[in-house]
């Protein structure tokens, strides 16, 4: 595997990180994961908009022109001999002395990972309500940050079965999000999804799905819902930028109906857009 690190594309064995990088020491870092389809980085603008917003919250000064971003991705595709890829774009605070730092991090560490994807991806999963609750954001809203312990503990709870997605409840008992996904369900033709008020990550694919629903005139509600609302759904699905739109066949062993017209329509719309759009605003 070849990675990009601070201006260079390197074999992964040559990429070295300082033990004084505050991304390592204090978890001060933001990352985005997205897919490249036949050379096209889907919704790249939306991912980088969120990346920059998160870095601003952490006091990390970072910028890169879009042309330079494309150059990095093209170099990594070439070196890793890929046309389609999983990408993790990671920016950590960079090197500072031992101790909490209150200034602006002016020399962050940028690492871009790229790997191949399975030849076929799952189209559906089972869901399981987790015992562990979703922790609250440490700031004003949830960042896609290096603070991932809550997710790791949740993954350990459900184990290694890739066909099961764990669903967090908030501390108040409301449906929140999946371990690596946002959650949606349909009842009576209306789509429901947890509000950002529950402390969830505002996923880029989540935003894209809501934009699609709005454009098509399909009603949706963002709110606070108990788990019974999910368990009584006509259809349900989860989303993320790697696995796209996955229908849920069951939750806590309660089977959902097999007729999923809205989920199927969203999957088709996603498949049509993924080689074309750089932002949801192009819809």
């Amino acid at each position: 595997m070849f990675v990009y690190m601070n201006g260079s594309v390197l074999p992964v064995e040559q990429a070295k990180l300082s033990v004084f990088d505050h991304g390592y020491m204090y978890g001060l870092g933001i990352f985005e994961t997205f897919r490249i389809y036949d050379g096209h980085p889907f919704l790249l603008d939306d991912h980088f908009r969120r990346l920059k917003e998160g870095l601003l919250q952490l006091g990390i000064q970072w910028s890169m022109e879009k042309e330079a971003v494309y150059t990095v991705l093209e170099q990594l595709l070439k070196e890793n001999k890929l046309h389609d890829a999983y990408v993790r774009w990671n920016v950590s605070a960079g090197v500072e002395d031992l101790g909490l730092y209150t200034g602006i991090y002016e020399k962050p560490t940028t690492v871009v990972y790229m790997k191949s994807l399975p030849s076929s991806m799952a189209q559906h999963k089972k869901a399981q309500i987790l015992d562990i609750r979703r922790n609250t954001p440490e700031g004003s809203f949830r960042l896609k940050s290096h603070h991932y312990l809550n997710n790791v503990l949740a993954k350990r709870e459900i184990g290694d079965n890739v066909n099961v997605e764990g669903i967090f409840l908030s501390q108040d008992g409301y449906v929140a999000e999946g371990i690596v996904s946002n959650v949606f369900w349909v009842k009576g033709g209306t789509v429901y999804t947890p509000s950002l008020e529950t402390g969830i990550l505002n996923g880029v694919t989540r935003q894209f799905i809501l934009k699609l629903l709005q454009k098509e005139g399909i009603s949706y509600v963002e709110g606070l819902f108990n788990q019974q609302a999910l368990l009584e759904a006509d259809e349900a699905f989860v989303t993320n930028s790697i696995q796209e739109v996955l229908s849920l066949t069951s939750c806590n062993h309660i089977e959902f109906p097999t007729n999923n017209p809205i989920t199927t329509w969203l999957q088709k719309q996603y498949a049509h857009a993924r080689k074309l759009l750089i932002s949801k605003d192009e819809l």
Side-chain angles (χ1 to χ4, degrees):
M1 177 192 291
F2 284 81
V3 299
Y4 169 90
M5 184 171 185
N6 290 344
S8 300
V9 174
L10 306 166
V12 67
E13 297 80 9
Q14 296 180 20
K16 306 297 181 183
L17 185 69
S18 170
V19 295
F20 286 97
D21 191 302
H22 281 203
Y24 167 72
M25 295 179 74
Y26 302 111
L28 294 177
I30 300 290
F31 70 98
E32 289 289 329
T33 54
F34 55 91
R35 279 180 68 170
I36 292 178
Y37 297 86
D38 195 21
H40 176 74
F42 184 47
L43 301 182
L44 184 70
D45 284 359
D46 298 332
H47 282 285
F48 272 74
R49 186 180 302 117
R50 187 175 65 175
L51 177 72
K52 291 175 180 178
E53 289 172 355
L55 293 171
L56 183 64
Q57 285 283 312
L58 296 184
I60 298 173
Q61 183 176 295
W62 182 89
S63 66
M64 184 178 283
E65 296 295 328
K66 186 185 290 189
E67 182 178 345
V69 171
Y70 273 99
T71 298
V72 170
L73 296 176
E74 289 167 1
Q75 289 175 336
L76 286 175
L77 285 170
K78 180 180 178 181
E79 294 295 339
N80 288 298
K81 298 179 173 58
L82 298 171
H83 296 285
D84 303 288
Y86 171 117
V87 180
R88 171 171 164 145
W89 194 290
N90 197 95
V91 182
S92 66
V95 174
E96 281 293 343
D97 290 336
L98 184 63
L100 299 182
Y101 179 67
T102 59
I104 300 297
Y105 291 96
E106 297 180 346
K107 296 180 179 180
T109 302
T110 302
V111 180
V112 186
Y113 309 83
M114 182 178 287
K115 68 177 183 179
S116 61
L117 290 155
S119 56
S120 62
M121 302 285 283
Q123 294 297 305
H124 54 80
K125 283 190 175 186
K126 297 178 180 180
Q128 176 183 320
I129 302 295
L130 294 160
D131 292 328
I132 190 171
R133 295 298 176 99
R134 192 60 169 123
N135 62 344
T136 56
E138 293 180 303
S140 56
F141 60 91
R142 187 170 300 281
L143 304 176
K144 196 171 180 70
S145 76
H146 291 186
H147 289 269
Y148 235 59
L149 179 59
N150 197 214
N151 302 65
V152 171
L153 293 176
K155 181 61 178 173
R156 290 178 178 174
E157 181 180 326
I158 65 169
D160 291 328
N161 190 340
V162 296
N163 295 316
V164 177
E165 173 66 319
I167 306 296
F168 284 109
L169 301 180
S170 70
Q171 296 294 332
D172 295 325
Y174 297 116
V175 179
E177 61 187 342
I179 297 174
V180 292
S181 65
N182 287 117
V183 184
F184 296 79
W185 62 93
V186 182
K187 188 69 176 179
T190 296
V191 178
Y192 295 87
T193 194
S195 165
L196 298 182
E197 187 181 341
T198 61
I200 62 174
L201 181 72
N202 190 12
V204 167
T205 304
R206 176 186 187 272
Q207 297 173 47
F208 180 70
I209 293 300
L210 294 179
K211 190 81 170 183
L212 275 175
L213 295 173
Q214 181 184 42
K215 181 183 177 183
E216 188 65 15
I218 297 172
S219 63
Y220 67 86
V221 178
E222 299 175 76
L224 303 175
F225 309 103
N226 60 36
Q227 62 180 295
Q228 196 61 32
L230 170 59
L231 296 175
E232 295 175 352
D234 298 329
E235 54 183 296
F237 58 95
V238 293
T239 64
N240 71 30
S241 295
I242 303 301
Q243 298 175 329
E244 304 178 348
V245 181
L246 292 169
S247 64
L248 293 178
T249 58
S250 66
C251 184
N252 284 15
H253 306 294
I254 295 175
E255 302 289 329
F256 292 122
T258 56
N259 184 31
N260 301 311
I262 291 180
T263 305
T264 301
W265 177 79
L266 287 168
Q267 289 171 333
K268 290 179 179 178
Q269 292 298 308
Y270 196 102
H272 174 71
R274 62 194 183 188
K275 292 185 180 181
L276 301 173
L277 302 186
I278 204 72
S279 170
K280 67 181 183 301
D281 297 330
E282 296 176 321
L283 281 173

